[in-house]
């Protein structure tokens, strides 16, 4: 047994060639002893370290800050620091990651720091790989969220398009139903009047039948014209207009004369305000006046006049059509200019396909203006088309 013990390395050899770096420093960090293992790791002889360098001199700038703000205070308070990873500078300039363990001890009335140091290359590599994997995982999570968000947006867009397609299909179905119903009346009148003309020799009855044919034909033509204008507006082109200098008051007066013939027995008044030439499409503005008057005749009080006002200001011109009678319900006002919108409780509501006010709005917008409406039981209903001169 004694012989075997004699074969063991002595304490000095164990210190110098230990599996870890061993250092003894003063309280201020000055290196007092260092083993060959540590010297070999940083390729620096012990003579260049002992009494010449402090531990913090071997650290990077970040390591020095950590040593001053964390290492030294913790060592004073706790008496030890365990598993602190710091980068130690190699003689050639690169850094070696190391794990440091230290404890404070007293020898001969003086404080020293005993350090055991381990190279942490494998651990450092593992941490880098772990960090890289974490970043990749986070990137994949972000990518997954982006994919989910894109999928959600696609689903929302698909739902919107499906709802839009369903709305278009329903709209087309409703349009076909309304057009079929509303065109049936004038065509039936034409057919019946033609039959009467064929069967009778009375000039009076023939004239009445011809008048009905003419009126019914005009109604059918207005419906078809409204449908064509509606189609042009819905496909995104908007209504086409041809601007020219017009006499607004005369245009409205001529339209009022024609409309008076179309609504016999009803009173129609025209008032003028202002003067001067305007720029507009005469046919489209006449169409707007006709649609507004037809609407007023349909929904206004039968025994009260419908008033048309043409007003010319410095920068704008305005067409107002006013009727007395029941106020338009508030819940209808918001969508009044939408296509296929009709009022309620109107005797002659079947005169059109419900596109008149929609087309008035499109005519106003084509002129760079717009249309508005006010309605109350006391003051009646007024539609106003306002456009730049």
């Amino acid at each position: 047994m004694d012989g075997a013990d004699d074969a063991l390395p002595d304490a000095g050899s164990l210190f110098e060639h230990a599996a870890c770096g061993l250092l003894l420093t003063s309280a201020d960090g000055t290196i007092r002893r260092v083993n060959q293992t540590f010297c070999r790791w940083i390729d620096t002889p012990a003579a260049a370290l002992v009494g010449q360098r402090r531990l913090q001199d071997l650290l990077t700038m970040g390591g020095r800050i950590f040593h001053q703000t964390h290492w030294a205070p913790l060592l004073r308070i706790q008496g030890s620091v365990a598993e602190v990873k710091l980068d130690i500078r190699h003689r050639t300039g690169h850094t070696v990651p190391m794990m440091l363990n230290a404890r404070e001890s007293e020898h001969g009335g003086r404080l020293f720091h005993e350090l055991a140091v381990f190279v942490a290359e494998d651990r450092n590599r593992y941490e880098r790989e772990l960090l890289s994997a974490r970043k990749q995982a986070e990137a994949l999570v972000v990518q997954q969220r982006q994919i989910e968000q894109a999928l959600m947006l696609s689903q929302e867009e698909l739902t919107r398009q499906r709802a839009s397609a369903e709305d278009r299909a329903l709209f087309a179905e409703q349009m076909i139903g309304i057009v079929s119903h509303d065109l049936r009346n004038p065509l039936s009148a034409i057919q019946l009047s033609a039959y009467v003309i064929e069967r009778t020799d009375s000039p009076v009855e023939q004239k009445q039948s011809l008048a009905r044919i003419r009126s019914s034909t005009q109604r059918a033509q207005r419906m078809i014209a409204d449908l064509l204008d509606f189609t042009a507006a819905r496909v995104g082109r908007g209504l086409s207009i041809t601007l020219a200098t017009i006499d607004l008051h005369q245009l409205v007066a001529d339209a009022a004369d024609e409309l008076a013939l179309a609504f016999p027995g009803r009173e129609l008044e025209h008032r003028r305000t202002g003067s001067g030439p305007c720029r507009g499409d005469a046919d489209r503005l006449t169409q707007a006046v006709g649609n507004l008057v037809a609407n007023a005749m349909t929904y206004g009080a039968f025994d009260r006049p419908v008033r048309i006002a043409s007003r010319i200001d410095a920068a704008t011109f305005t067409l107002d059509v006013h009727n007395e009678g029941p106020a338009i319900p508030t819940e209808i006002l918001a969508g009044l200019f939408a296509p296929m919108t009709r009022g309620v409780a109107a005797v002659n509501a079947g005169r059109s396909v419900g596109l008149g006010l929609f087309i008035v709005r499109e005519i106003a917008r084509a002129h760079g203006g717009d249309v508005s409406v006010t309605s109350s039981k006391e003051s009646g209903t007024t539609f106003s088309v306002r456009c730049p001169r």
Side-chain angles (χ1 to χ4, degrees):
M1 293 296 296
D2 293 340
D5 291 341
D6 293 339
L8 293 176
D10 59 21
S13 178
L14 287 174
F15 173 82
E16 293 294 343
H17 304 291
C20 63
L22 298 173
L23 298 92
L24 180 69
T25 72
S26 302
D28 65 354
T30 302
I31 299 174
R32 296 304 178 184
R33 290 197 64 181
V34 61
N35 69 351
Q36 290 299 312
T37 302
F38 183 81
C39 292
R40 185 174 66 255
W41 285 345
I42 65 172
D43 194 22
T44 303
L49 297 175
V50 175
Q52 306 297 318
R53 308 288 295 277
R54 297 180 305 168
L55 173 65
Q56 49 266 44
D57 296 337
L58 304 179
L59 303 177
T60 61
M61 181 59 68
R64 293 178 190 176
I65 295 174
F66 181 83
H67 183 278
Q68 181 178 357
T69 59
H70 291 76
W71 174 285
L74 281 175
L75 202 53
R76 285 195 301 268
I77 295 171
Q78 299 179 172
S80 65
V81 177
E83 295 187 351
V84 174
K85 188 168 82 69
L86 295 171
D87 289 332
I88 305 297
R89 292 189 301 175
H90 191 274
R91 181 183 62 83
T92 58
H94 70 275
T95 59
V96 180
M98 295 188 185
M99 297 293 299
L100 283 73
N101 297 280
R103 71 171 185 176
E104 191 174 68
S105 61
E106 184 178 349
H107 299 280
R110 297 176 58 190
L111 290 178
F112 294 91
H113 295 162
E114 301 171 358
L115 288 83
V117 183
F118 301 86
V119 173
E121 286 283 3
D122 292 341
R123 176 168 178 165
N124 198 52
R125 187 181 304 108
Y126 168 76
E127 290 177 349
R128 288 198 303 268
E129 292 175 355
L130 184 63
L131 181 60
S132 176
R134 180 176 178 178
K135 289 182 178 179
Q136 290 179 359
E138 290 174 348
L140 289 174
V141 169
V142 171
Q143 185 178 6
Q144 179 68 22
R145 289 176 179 171
Q146 291 174 343
I147 293 173
E148 291 175 354
Q149 185 177 11
L151 179 60
M152 182 178 65
L153 292 175
S154 298
Q155 290 175 338
E156 291 176 354
E157 177 64 17
L158 183 61
T159 301
R160 188 193 64 78
Q161 291 182 1
R162 179 177 178 180
S164 178
E166 291 176 349
D167 289 344
R168 288 196 298 270
L170 178 61
F171 186 88
E173 182 179 347
Q174 292 174 335
M175 179 67 73
I176 291 172
I178 291 175
V179 171
S180 300
H181 177 270
D182 289 352
L183 279 177
R184 185 184 303 157
N185 293 333
L187 291 176
S188 297
I190 291 171
Q191 185 179 23
L192 179 61
S193 298
Y195 177 79
V196 171
I197 292 173
E198 183 181 21
R199 293 288 183 174
T200 183
D201 295 330
S202 170
V204 175
E205 292 183 357
Q206 289 181 357
K207 288 182 179 180
Q208 292 175 346
S209 297
L210 288 173
R212 284 196 295 270
I213 289 175
R214 182 167 55 254
S215 175
S216 298
T217 302
Q218 290 173 348
R219 285 177 56 194
Q221 288 176 336
R222 284 199 301 271
M223 293 180 192
I224 294 172
D226 285 350
L227 289 172
L228 292 174
D229 288 340
F230 167 74
T231 301
R234 288 283 284 193
V235 298
R237 297 197 309 267
L239 297 185
S240 60
I241 63 171
T242 302
L243 295 178
T245 301
I246 59 172
D247 184 337
L248 181 70
H249 296 319
Q250 188 59 48
L251 179 150
V252 175
D254 293 342
D257 291 341
E258 294 181 7
L259 290 167
L261 297 176
F263 297 98
R266 301 292 298 274
E267 186 177 354
L268 186 62
E269 300 177 0
H270 175 215
R271 300 176 181 177
R272 315 177 185 207
T273 303
S275 62
C278 301
R279 293 279 292 174
D281 187 313
D283 292 336
R284 288 297 190 187
L285 293 174
T286 299
Q287 182 183 8
V289 172
N291 286 357
L292 291 176
V293 169
N295 183 76
M297 293 293 185
T298 301
Y299 297 101
F302 187 81
D303 58 347
R304 302 298 298 164
V306 171
R307 297 183 177 89
I308 309 173
S310 52
R311 294 187 287 115
I312 301 175
D313 300 319
T316 61
F317 66 83
T318 305
L319 300 173
D320 294 331
V321 176
H322 173 269
N323 66 267
E324 299 180 33
I328 301 173
T330 305
E331 62 272 16
I332 294 179
L333 280 175
L336 199 59
F337 296 100
M340 295 177 62
T341 300
R342 292 175 171 180
V344 294
V347 176
N348 296 319
R351 295 182 62 89
S352 71
V353 292
L355 298 176
L357 295 180
F358 170 78
I359 291 172
V360 170
R361 184 184 67 180
E362 295 302 312
I363 291 173
R365 289 181 175 178
H367 283 79
D370 210 342
V371 61
S372 61
V373 58
T374 59
S375 183
S376 67
K377 182 178 179 180
E378 295 75 21
S379 59
T381 299
T382 301
F383 286 87
S384 298
V385 175
R386 187 180 181 87
C387 303
R389 283 184 62 182

